[in-house]
C-alpha cells in the first residue's frame, strides 16, 4: 500500500491506554514517528507512537481558542502536548496559561510546540501529578480545563483550589450515555458541590464533542463557579 501511494512511512492505529493516555500506534514502515499536524492555525508536533491525538476533538480545540477573554489566566490540568492550551495561547488574548502534565513524552512535545508556535513566553509547564503540582497555583485561575477521559474526577478538588476566590469557569470532559447528557452533567455538578459547598456551581453549557463508542458520547460540561 505504501509503495502504491509513494509513502515512506506507515503507521497502524491502536488503542489509547494507561494513565499517560499513551498512543497505541505501531510503525509498520520507517522508524521516524515524529509528525506535525497543522489544524486551525496551530502546529501540533508529537511522536505518534508515544502520544495520542484525537482528530474528533477538532471543534473543541477550536472552541477553546474562542471562549477565553482578554487577560484571563487559564490552568490546563491535563495539558498533554498542548491540545487545548495551544489554541488558547495562539487565538485568544489570555494573560497566561499554566500547563500541568506528568508524561515526559508529552512534556517534550509540549515544549517543542510552544517554541514552534511562538508562544513560549505566556506559558508555564508544571511537571508531575497535577494534584500536587497545582499546589503552587492556588487562587490564580479564571478558567480551568479538565481534559481527561474517561473522567477527571480525581482532580475536581484541585481544580476548585486553583480558581480565583471570586470564581470562574471549569470545563469538565467526560463520557456520558447518549440519552443521559443532562443526568451526567447534574451528577458532575453535584460532585463539585459536595467538594466545596461554599461556591455556587451552575451549568452554563453542555457540548457534545464526538461519539466515543456506540451509545457513549464525549461531552464537555462548562460550569460557572461563583
Ligand atoms: C492525552 S490528554 C487528553 C487530551 C484530550 N482530552 C484529547 O482527547 O485531545 C490527557 C493527558 O493528561 C495526562 N495526565 C493524566 N493524569 C494526570 C495527572 N494526574 N497529572 C498530570 N497529568 C496527567 C496524561 O499524561 C495525558 O497526557
Amino acid at each position: 500500500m505504501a509503495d502504491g501511494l509513494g509513502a515512506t512511512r506507515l503507521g497502524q492505529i491502536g488503542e489509547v491506554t494507561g494513565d499517560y493516555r499513551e498512543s497505541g500506534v505501531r510503525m509498520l514502515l520507517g522508524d521516524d514517528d515524529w509528525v506535525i499536524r497543522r489544524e486551525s492555525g496551530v502546529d501540533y508536533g508529537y511522536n505518534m507512537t508515544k502520544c495520542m491525538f484525537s482528530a474528533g476533538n477538532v471543534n473543541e480545540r477550536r472552541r477553546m481558542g474562542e471562549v477565553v477573554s482578554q487577560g484571563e489566566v487559564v490552568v490546563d490540568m491535563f495539558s498533554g502536548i498542548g491540545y487545548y492550551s495551544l489554541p488558547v495561547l495562539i487565538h485568544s488574548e489570555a494573560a497566561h496559561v499554566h500547563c500541568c502534565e506528568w508524561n515526559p513524552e508529552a512534556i517534550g512535545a509540549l515544549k517543542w510546540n510552544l517554541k514552534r508556535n511562538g508562544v513560549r513566553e505566556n506559558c508555564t509547564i508544571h511537571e508531575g501529578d497535577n494534584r500536587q503540582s497545582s499546589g503552587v497555583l492556588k487562587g490564580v485561575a479564571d478558567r480551568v480545563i479538565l481534559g481527561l477521559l474517561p473522567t477527571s474526577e480525581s482532580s475536581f478538588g484541585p481544580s476548585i483550589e486553583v480558581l480565583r476566590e471570586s470564581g470562574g469557569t471549569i470545563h469538565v470532559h467526560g463520557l456520558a450515555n447518549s440519552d443521559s447528557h443532562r443526568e451526567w452533567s447534574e451528577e458532575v455538578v453535584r460532585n463539585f458541590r459536595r467538594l466545596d459547598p461554599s461556591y455556587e456551581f451552575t451549568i452554563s453549557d453542555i457540548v457534545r464533542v464526538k461519539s466515543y463508542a456506540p451509545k457513549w458520547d464525549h461531552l464537555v460540561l462548562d460550569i460557572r463557579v461563583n
Side-chain angles (χ1 to χ4, degrees):
M1 192 168 76
D3 280 350
L5 292 169
T8 52
R9 300 189 292 167
L10 182 65
Q12 184 182 39
I13 287 176
E15 206 186 334
V16 176
T17 51
D19 288 346
Y20 283 176
R21 304 290 293 143
E22 278 171 299
S23 156
V25 170
R26 208 159 54 94
M27 294 304 288
L28 300 179
L29 177 68
D31 297 322
D32 179 11
D33 66 341
W34 180 259
V35 289
I36 303 170
R37 191 184 180 91
R38 195 157 292 156
E39 180 190 283
S40 308
V42 181
D43 280 358
Y44 298 90
Y46 60 104
N47 291 98
M48 65 176 172
T49 63
K50 306 265 170 38
C51 296
M52 59 156 289
F53 195 97
S54 177
N57 296 355
V58 54
N59 290 337
E60 184 59 15
R61 283 189 287 275
R62 195 175 35 233
R63 187 174 81 100
M64 284 300 105
E66 293 167 356
V67 293
V68 176
S69 302
Q70 188 181 22
E72 279 191 19
V73 173
V74 179
V75 175
D76 187 349
M77 297 287 270
F78 300 94
S79 72
I81 68 167
Y83 309 100
Y84 304 113
S85 291
L86 290 168
V88 170
L89 285 159
I90 293 162
H91 295 305
S92 82
E93 292 180 66
H96 205 83
V97 178
H98 293 278
C99 289
C100 300
E101 176 55 50
W102 68 6
N103 175 359
E105 298 288 350
I107 293 168
L110 174 60
K111 286 180 179 163
W112 189 92
N113 287 328
L114 292 172
K115 189 162 174 225
R116 165 77 165 212
N117 290 285
V119 289
R120 226 173 10 172
E121 300 304 303
N122 292 343
C123 183
T124 307
I125 302 174
H126 302 268
E127 300 189 17
D129 187 332
N130 63 35
R131 287 162 291 190
Q132 277 92 52
S133 68
S134 66
V136 297
L137 299 172
K138 284 198 169 54
V140 305
D142 298 288
R143 190 179 295 273
V144 183
I145 303 171
L146 290 170
L148 181 68
L149 295 182
T151 176
S152 55
E153 203 172 336
S154 62
S155 295
F156 283 6
S159 74
I160 303 172
E161 304 252 294
V162 302
L163 274 185
R164 284 190 200 284
E165 226 174 285
S166 53
T169 301
I170 306 182
H171 303 281
V172 188
H173 291 237
L175 298 180
N177 196 279
S178 314
D179 357 281
S180 315
H181 291 186
R182 194 78 210 174
E183 288 83 345
W184 172 80
S185 307
E186 283 165 4
E187 176 63 21
V188 170
V189 166
R190 269 196 297 279
N191 289 341
F192 271 98
R193 285 192 190 123
R194 242 176 256 137
L195 285 166
D196 194 338
S198 69
Y199 278 117
E200 240 177 69
F201 296 91
T202 39
I203 296 173
S204 60
D205 207 354
I206 304 169
V207 177
R208 181 180 177 276
V209 177
K210 63 179 186 287
S211 168
Y212 185 80
K215 294 235 170 213
W216 286 91
D217 291 335
H218 171 181
L219 301 186
V220 179
L221 175 63
D222 293 353
I223 302 177
R224 185 72 215 152
V225 186
N226 289 110

